[in-house]
C-alpha cells in the first residue's frame, strides 16, 4: 500500500495530464468553464487509479488493495457518507453538483482491477466487455455533465469510447508487451490471432510479414468503423461541447490513419499526434467532417 501513498490534493489539477501522453484534449479550453473543474477531477481520479494498476513495481496484491481503497471511497460517496481522501472530497462535490452516476466510476475501478489480474482476452467479446468498463463510463459521465444523457447519445458515445480504446490498444501493442512482468499484456483476441496464424511469439519477435500486416489492418479498420458509427454524436451535441467531441473523434481518426500507414510496424514507429496533425484535426472538427 505504501507504494501508492499520495500527498493531499485538495485542488486536483491537470498535473497528471501533463506527465502522461494523451491522444485527445483533457479539460481543454474548448469546454465551457463550469465543466472544466469537473472534468479535471474525474480525469485525476481515473489517471491515478490507472497508474495504480499499471505503474511502478508493486505486487499484484498491493495494487488490488490500493484500488479497493478507491472503490471503498466511491461506495462511501454512493451511500452519502463523507469519504476520507481529499481527491474524493472533490469528486463527491462534482458528483452531487452534476448528479453523476457513481456506478460508472466503480466500473472504471473494476476495469483497472482486471488489468492487474487478466493479461489475455479469449475472444473479441471479452475485449469489448473490458472496453465497456474501461472506456465507455467516461463518455457516459461526460453526457451527464453536459445534460445530454439520452439513450441514443449513450449508444453513440459507447461506440466512440470503445473505438478510441481499441485504437489505443493497437497503438500500444509493443508497450503493453512490457507490462505485467514477463507475461506482458495483450488486448488482441486470442481466437482471432489463432485463426490468422499469429502467435504471441510473433508479437515478441516483431513479425512484420504480410500475414501480420493484414491481421493488424483488419483490427484497425474495425475500430475505424465503430468510431464512424458514433460520429453523429459530435454533430448532435451543441456548441463547444460538440466541437470538443469532434476534436476527439478527429484525433482518433488521425491515429487510425497513422496505424494503417505504418503497415503493422508499431514496434519501431508508435503513432502519436504531432504538432502538424492539430491543424487538420481542427479543420475536421470545425467543418463537422
Amino acid at each position: 500500500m505504501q507504494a501508492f501513498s499520495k500527498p493531499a490534493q485538495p485542488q486536483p489539477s491537470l498535473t497528471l495530464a501533463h506527465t502522461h501522453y494523451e491522444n485527445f484534449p483533457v479539460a481543454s479550453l474548448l469546454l465551457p468553464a463550469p465543466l472544466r473543474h469537473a472534468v479535471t477531477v474525474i480525469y485525476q481520479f481515473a489517471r491515478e487509479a490507472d497508474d495504480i494498476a499499471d505503474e511502478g513495481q508493486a505486487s499484484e496484491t498491493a495494487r488490488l488493495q490500493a484500488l479497493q481503497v478507491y472503490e471503498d471511497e466511491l461506495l462511501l460517496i454512493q451511500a452519502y457518507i463523507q469519504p476520507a481522501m481529499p481527491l474524493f472530497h472533490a469528486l463527491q462535490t462534482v458528483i452531487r453538483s452534476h448528479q453523476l452516476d457513481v456506478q460508472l466510476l466503480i466500473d472504471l475501478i473494476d476495469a483497472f482491477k482486471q488489468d492487474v489480474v487478466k493479461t489475455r482476452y479469449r475472444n473479441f467479446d471479452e475485449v469489448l466487455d473490458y472496453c465497456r468498463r474501461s472506456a465507455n463510463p467516461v463518455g457516459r459521465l461526460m453526457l451527464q455533465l453536459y445534460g445530454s444523457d439520452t439513450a441514443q447519445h449513450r449508444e453513440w458515445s459507447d461506440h466512440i469510447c470503445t473505438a478510441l480504446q481499441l485504437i489505443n490498444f493497437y497503438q500500444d501493442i509493443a508497450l503493453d508487451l512490457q507490462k505485467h512482468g514477463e507475461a506482458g499484456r495483450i488486448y488482441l483476441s486470442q481466437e482471432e490471432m489463432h485463426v490468422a496464424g499469429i502467435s504471441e511469439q510473433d508479437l515478441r519477435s516483431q513479425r512484420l510479414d504480410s500475414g501480420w500486416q493484414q491481421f493488424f489492418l483488419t483490427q484497425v479498420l474495425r475500430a475505424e468503423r465503430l468510431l464512424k458509427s458514433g460520429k453523429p454524436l459530435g454533430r448532435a451535441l451543441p456548441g463547444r461541447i460538440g466541437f470538443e467531441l469532434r476534436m476527439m473523434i478527429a484525433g482518433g481518426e488521425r491515429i487510425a490513419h497513422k496505424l494503417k500507414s505504418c503497415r503493422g510496424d508499431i514496434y519501431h514507429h508508435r503513432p502519436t499526434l504531432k504538432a502538424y496533425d492539430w491543424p487538420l484535426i481542427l479543420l475536421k472538427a470545425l467543418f463537422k467532417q
Side-chain angles (χ1 to χ4, degrees):
M1 289 290 291
Q2 291 182 349
F4 300 113
S5 60
K6 300 179 182 292
Q9 296 175 335
Q11 295 295 329
S13 68
L14 284 182
T15 300
L16 286 177
H18 296 150
T19 58
H20 290 72
Y21 169 80
E22 297 290 341
N23 285 339
F24 315 109
V26 178
S28 79
L29 294 177
L30 298 175
L31 285 175
L35 297 182
R36 286 180 213 145
H37 174 72
V39 173
T40 298
V41 172
I42 292 169
Y43 178 84
Q44 186 84 7
F45 157 78
R47 187 72 265 175
E48 285 189 15
D50 192 26
D51 283 351
I52 288 172
D54 267 351
E55 303 297 329
Q57 303 300 317
S59 68
E60 181 177 299
T61 298
R63 294 180 192 277
L64 290 174
Q65 288 176 342
L67 287 170
Q68 187 60 51
V69 170
Y70 274 40
E71 183 172 338
D72 290 343
E73 291 285 87
L74 291 174
L75 291 173
L76 289 175
I77 294 173
Q78 195 174 49
Y80 299 96
I81 299 173
Q82 184 79 355
M85 299 170 65
L87 172 61
F88 288 86
H89 292 170
L91 191 57
Q92 183 180 51
T93 300
V94 168
I95 289 168
R96 289 178 175 175
S97 298
H98 298 276
Q99 297 182 314
L100 303 182
D101 183 357
V102 180
Q103 184 59 48
L104 294 170
L105 298 166
I106 294 173
D107 287 345
L108 288 174
I109 294 294
D110 188 54
F112 298 143
K113 286 181 177 179
Q114 181 169 308
D115 266 337
V116 175
V117 299
K118 186 177 179 68
T119 62
R120 300 295 184 274
Y121 290 80
R122 183 170 59 86
N123 52 44
F124 191 61
D125 284 342
E126 286 194 357
V127 177
L128 291 178
D129 179 66
Y130 173 79
C131 294
R132 179 183 63 79
R133 289 169 288 120
S134 69
N136 296 2
V138 176
R140 292 188 173 213
L141 285 165
M142 295 304 106
L143 289 177
Q144 291 177 9
L145 283 174
Y146 302 157
S148 301
D149 186 24
T150 69
Q152 180 62 79
H153 288 177
R154 287 194 295 272
E155 180 181 343
W156 285 333
S157 175
D158 287 351
H159 290 177
I160 292 168
C161 291
T162 291
L164 294 178
Q165 178 76 89
L166 293 172
I167 289 168
N168 185 242
F169 287 159
Y170 308 145
Q171 185 183 16
D172 286 350
I173 286 174
L175 294 179
D176 286 333
L177 280 172
Q178 301 170 27
K179 294 180 179 179
H180 211 90
E182 294 182 2
R185 194 180 290 148
I186 299 174
Y187 290 104
L188 300 169
S189 161
Q190 298 288 292
E191 288 182 357
E192 292 179 355
M193 288 175 61
H194 177 74
V195 170
I198 306 293
S199 68
E200 291 188 18
Q201 183 55 41
D202 290 332
L203 300 182
R204 297 185 187 282
S205 63
Q206 302 182 0
R207 174 180 169 181
L208 291 174
D209 65 4
S210 60
W212 164 252
Q213 290 174 358
Q214 184 57 49
F215 174 79
F216 184 78
L217 179 61
T218 299
Q219 305 296 312
V220 176
L221 290 175
R222 178 169 56 191
E224 265 193 327
R225 290 193 298 271
L226 190 60
L227 183 59
K228 183 177 181 180
S229 70
K231 285 185 74 171
L233 182 60
R235 296 186 289 271
L237 295 179
R240 287 189 290 174
I241 292 170
F243 184 65
E244 170 86 357
L245 180 59
R246 294 195 298 275
M247 288 279 289
M248 292 183 183
I249 294 169
E253 290 175 328
R254 189 64 183 157
I255 290 292
H257 171 76
K258 293 188 177 197
L259 287 169
K260 291 186 293 184
S261 299
C262 77
R263 299 177 61 83
D265 188 5
I266 34 70
Y267 306 103
H268 305 103
H269 308 285
R270 178 180 181 266
T272 58
L273 295 177
K274 307 295 185 183
Y276 57 78
D277 291 309
W278 289 103
L280 178 60
I281 291 170
L282 180 62
L283 286 173
K284 291 190 72 172
L286 279 171
F287 292 100
K288 301 184 179 182
Q289 295 182 354

